[in-house]
Amino acid sequence: MTQATIKTAAMLAIGDELLSGRTKDKNIGHLADMLTVAGIDLKEVRIVGDEEEAIVAALDALRSRYDYVFTSGGIGPTHDDITADAVSAAFGVPCEHDADAMRLLGAMYERRGMEFTEARQRMARMPRGARHIPNPVSTAPGFVIGNVHVMAGVPQVFQAMLDNVISTLPAGAKVISRSIACPFGEGDIGTLLAGVQKAHPDTSIGSYPQFDGQRFSTELVVRARDAAAVDAAAVAIEAMIAAISAEKDAARAKDLGTGELA
Amino acid sequence: MTQATIKTAAMLAIGDELLSGRTKDKNIGHLADMLTVAGIDLKEVRIVGDEEEAIVAALDALRSRYDYVFTSGGIGPTHDDITADAVSAAFGVPCEHDADAMRLLGAMYERRGMEFTEARQRMARMPRGARHIPNPVSTAPGFVIGNVHVMAGVPQVFQAMLDNVISTLPAGAKVISRSIACPFGEGDIGTLLAGVQKAHPDTSIGSYPQFDGQRFSTELVVRARDAAAVDAAAVAIEAMIAAISAEKDAARAKDLGTGELA
């Protein structure tokens, strides 16, 4: 297992509704979970509105920097769905009605006795040369061009498309993580934890403060691609928590006049 | 009311836990809501991990492009809290223990009978020349330097800090929005809706598909800074929905053989 096998990814979530607060994104967290399980490092996320220039600029920055880019949103049939056009522009290819997508969608609407309107035909548009991402929920496919995977914004559809994408990616070395509940706030553990991190450089130790309205506690998460490294760091963290507990107990005993010094 | 008064903003959410899926961000949606109410346009969001280079690059891109930048995360007392260092680096000033913040934090820990540890003192670090953002929840202040507003990642603290920030910003012209439930999917309305958008260029008409597991409906949202423009577009959308309903009713009647043509 070498670092060279680790793939990186970025996400671009597209939609004015995400920036206005009208819709609260649910796709970023889901993609993050799925990529972690797949052993792919999500390194950056951007959210932009339905503006071609903004989408193209973000796509160009991300697709050159990371192994995979995943987008959500903007591939429906309305006037503000411009993701296919923007992706085509970024790749410098025409955006056109894909023959297979036209057949799939045409057949679906015929089965349902619905008209295959001009608006609905927009959902068959994709960059020339793109491959489909199947959409088992509502038929209209996502697509892949280069390293960019274009998916729907509706969470049920995004998730179904992602299931179809993720299995096609070469899996990275999986990240193993271990979570350790720590009853102390970050201020109590910060200096010692920095020492643990330094002593275990092959791991990434995250510290996530939790606040119950009264006091902070912390969840500590050790991540690494090597199980033995995770174990070693976890042992060190548990020893750290025990040492802080003992110190606090001693201080309390001293305050109460019942400690060794009393 | 001129376009020139409209301020733009970007958000930078910082934290490995957001990219691993360990934590699901709650601050982006909250900021989006608050800025919409304040009449400030949120134009872009980025999420990066706890890496100085990534934070500095994102900050530099965003602070030069938008009127305001808001960050969340990375200002706690642990080794992975490097936002203050990264912001200092971006602005080319030293990151140092702020005297006022040291006093505030020192007094708070003294009141609580807790040690003001080296780790806790980290929370008093900020770029030289920064102003505090008060933190009524847990004392450790956020800070403002230039157009960058640095806030905590814990949602309760982020929200409290943002309340203190938002009142200091010159309010933009507020965006008025009107939401219209549409019983038809985007494919039924796309072409007509594009016409409504073209006829009402001062408004932004968003179309948000909803999927109940069986069929799509749509929520249409008209936004503008001018109430009369919102009203006019809303009337046009309601007429559009009525026209589609009538057309569908007529088609159904015809199918049943009870229509005018029967």
Side-chain angles (χ1 to χ4, degrees):
Chain A
M1 186 160 52
T2 67
Q3 289 289 317
T5 66
I6 296 165
K7 298 291 188 184
T8 60
M11 173 164 182
L12 177 62
I14 298 164
D16 288 347
E17 69 277 19
L18 302 172
L19 297 174
S20 72
R22 173 67 196 69
T23 297
K24 303 293 181 283
D25 168 83
K26 289 182 181 144
N27 298 324
I28 296 171
H30 180 75
L31 179 71
D33 284 336
M34 295 290 284
L35 292 179
T36 296
V37 169
I40 295 168
D41 264 356
L42 180 61
K43 300 293 280 180
E44 183 172 349
V45 177
R46 297 191 188 185
I47 306 175
V48 298
D50 300 303
E51 291 174 25
E52 183 164 314
E53 197 184 336
I55 299 171
V56 172
L59 269 179
D60 282 345
L62 298 175
R63 72 193 181 95
S64 61
R65 203 169 298 163
Y66 305 107
D67 295 316
Y68 307 115
V69 177
F70 302 91
T71 79
S72 66
I75 62 170
T78 60
H79 63 92
D80 57 358
D81 289 305
I82 60 165
T83 299
D85 302 270
V87 174
S88 302
F91 280 89
V93 298
C95 185
E96 50 195 22
H97 289 86
D98 177 83
D100 286 340
M102 287 293 282
R103 269 193 293 275
L104 277 172
L105 284 164
M108 186 265 286
Y109 286 113
E110 194 175 345
R111 275 198 308 278
R112 295 195 190 173
M114 294 162 77
E115 198 187 340
F116 191 24
T117 57
E118 186 188 327
R120 291 184 175 124
Q121 291 178 26
R122 275 180 68 80
M123 293 188 286
R125 295 169 73 246
M126 55 182 76
R128 183 183 292 174
R131 286 176 290 121
H132 288 204
I133 299 174
N135 169 3
V137 177
S138 53
T139 304
F143 56 85
V144 186
I145 180 167
N147 59 347
V148 176
H149 300 73
V150 176
M151 295 177 284
V154 176
Q156 294 95 326
V157 183
F158 179 86
Q159 292 170 22
M161 288 181 173
L162 184 61
D163 284 342
N164 284 326
V165 162
I166 214 120
S167 58
T168 68
L169 305 176
K174 294 212 175 140
V175 173
I176 298 158
S177 78
R178 173 100 46 96
S179 181
I180 299 158
C182 171
F184 309 117
E186 292 193 313
D188 278 318
I189 61 172
T191 307
L192 289 173
L193 192 65
V196 175
Q197 173 70 85
K198 249 182 218 161
H200 297 268
D202 292 345
T203 68
S204 159
I205 303 177
S207 161
Y208 307 120
Q210 296 172 329
F211 184 67
D212 66 5
Q214 294 266 347
R215 36 187 302 167
F216 283 91
S217 59
T218 318
E219 185 158 7
L220 301 175
V221 180
V222 182
R223 286 192 192 81
R225 290 184 163 82
D226 178 55
V230 171
D231 287 344
V235 165
I237 286 172
E238 275 155 11
M240 175 195 82
I241 294 173
I244 298 171
S245 290
E247 192 187 302
K248 287 193 177 277
D249 287 348
R252 210 171 294 125
K254 192 179 159 192
D255 284 351
L256 294 172
T258 58
E260 289 174 20
L261 299 178
Chain B
M1 187 162 55
T2 67
Q3 289 288 316
T5 66
I6 296 164
K7 299 291 188 183
T8 59
M11 174 164 182
L12 178 62
I14 298 164
D16 288 347
E17 69 275 22
L18 302 172
L19 296 173
S20 72
R22 174 65 198 69
T23 297
K24 304 293 182 282
D25 169 83
K26 290 182 180 145
N27 297 324
I28 295 170
H30 179 75
L31 179 72
D33 284 336
M34 294 291 284
L35 291 180
T36 295
V37 169
I40 295 168
D41 265 357
L42 181 62
K43 300 293 281 181
E44 183 171 350
V45 177
R46 298 191 188 185
I47 307 176
V48 298
D50 300 303
E51 291 174 25
E52 183 164 314
E53 198 184 335
I55 299 170
V56 171
L59 270 178
D60 282 345
L62 298 175
R63 72 193 180 95
S64 61
R65 203 168 298 163
Y66 305 106
D67 294 316
Y68 306 115
V69 177
F70 302 91
T71 79
S72 67
I75 61 169
T78 60
H79 62 92
D80 57 358
D81 289 305
I82 60 165
T83 298
D85 302 88
V87 175
S88 301
F91 280 89
V93 298
C95 186
E96 50 196 22
H97 289 85
D98 177 83
D100 286 339
M102 287 293 281
R103 270 193 292 275
L104 276 172
L105 284 164
M108 185 265 286
Y109 286 114
E110 195 176 343
R111 276 198 306 279
R112 295 195 190 175
M114 293 162 77
E115 198 188 339
F116 190 24
T117 58
E118 185 190 325
R120 290 186 175 123
Q121 292 177 27
R122 275 180 69 81
M123 293 188 285
R125 294 169 73 247
M126 54 183 75
R128 183 183 291 173
R131 285 175 290 121
H132 288 202
I133 298 174
N135 169 3
V137 176
S138 53
T139 305
F143 56 84
V144 186
I145 180 168
N147 59 347
V148 176
H149 300 73
V150 176
M151 295 178 284
V154 175
Q156 294 95 327
V157 183
F158 179 86
Q159 291 170 22
M161 287 182 173
L162 184 61
D163 284 343
N164 284 325
V165 162
I166 213 120
S167 57
T168 69
L169 305 176
K174 293 208 177 143
V175 173
I176 298 159
S177 78
R178 172 100 46 94
S179 182
I180 299 158
C182 170
F184 309 117
E186 291 193 314
D188 278 319
I189 61 172
T191 307
L192 289 173
L193 191 65
V196 174
Q197 174 70 83
K198 251 182 218 161
H200 297 267
D202 292 344
T203 68
S204 160
I205 304 177
S207 161
Y208 307 120
Q210 296 171 329
F211 183 67
D212 66 5
Q214 295 266 347
R215 37 187 302 167
F216 283 91
S217 58
T218 318
E219 185 159 5
L220 301 175
V221 180
V222 183
R223 287 192 191 80
R225 288 184 164 80
D226 177 55
V230 171
D231 287 344
V235 166
I237 286 172
E238 276 154 10
M240 176 195 81
I241 293 173
I244 297 171
S245 290
E247 194 187 301
K248 286 189 177 281
D249 287 348
R252 210 172 294 125
K254 191 177 160 194
D255 283 352
L256 293 172
T258 57
E260 288 176 22
L261 298 177

